[in-house]
Amino acid sequence: MGEIKDENLSGNEIIEENLVELKRNPSDEMLAVTLTSFRKRMNEGGHMVVAVEVAMGESYQVRTITLDGQKWMVAFTSFDEE
């Protein structure tokens, strides 16, 4: 299968780099840097890949995870990350 390329995802690499660093160095400062990179990409019109589940012949449902009683939508910075 060929590589899926979407120019709207170009630039999300900084988010991926910041997430790796946040995992390596979990601090309030690194969290702030990571969240800032998300906000910057949103302001630039960047996109994310949203995970969906499709039942045969049925409608689709956005995949979610539950953390601390709250539901969060699953999203990825690229098709490779998905």
Side-chain angles (χ1 to χ4, degrees):
M1 182 175 192
E3 181 181 335
I4 301 173
K5 217 41 172 156
D6 185 332
E7 290 305 316
N8 291 307
L9 300 176
S10 293
N12 285 352
E13 300 81 10
I14 189 68
I15 296 171
E16 294 169 12
E17 293 167 11
N18 288 336
L19 286 169
V20 167
E21 184 59 30
L22 178 62
K23 191 173 185 180
R24 199 175 326 160
N25 174 24
S27 65
D28 289 344
E29 293 80 13
M30 196 59 221
L31 176 60
V33 168
T34 304
L35 293 175
T36 298
S37 65
F38 273 97
R39 185 175 61 244
K40 181 177 184 234
R41 287 297 297 139
M42 289 179 357
N43 289 336
E44 293 171 349
H47 293 190
M48 301 289 280
V49 177
V50 176
V52 296
E53 296 174 352
V54 180
M56 296 272 288
E58 310 249 339
S59 62
Y60 65 92
Q61 182 175 350
V62 174
R63 194 168 8 144
T64 60
I65 58 173
T66 302
L67 297 170
D68 298 327
Q70 293 186 338
K71 250 185 186 176
W72 297 88
M73 182 173 56
V74 176
F76 301 93
T77 55
S78 68
F79 287 103
D80 288 339
E81 289 298 316
E82 179 191 23

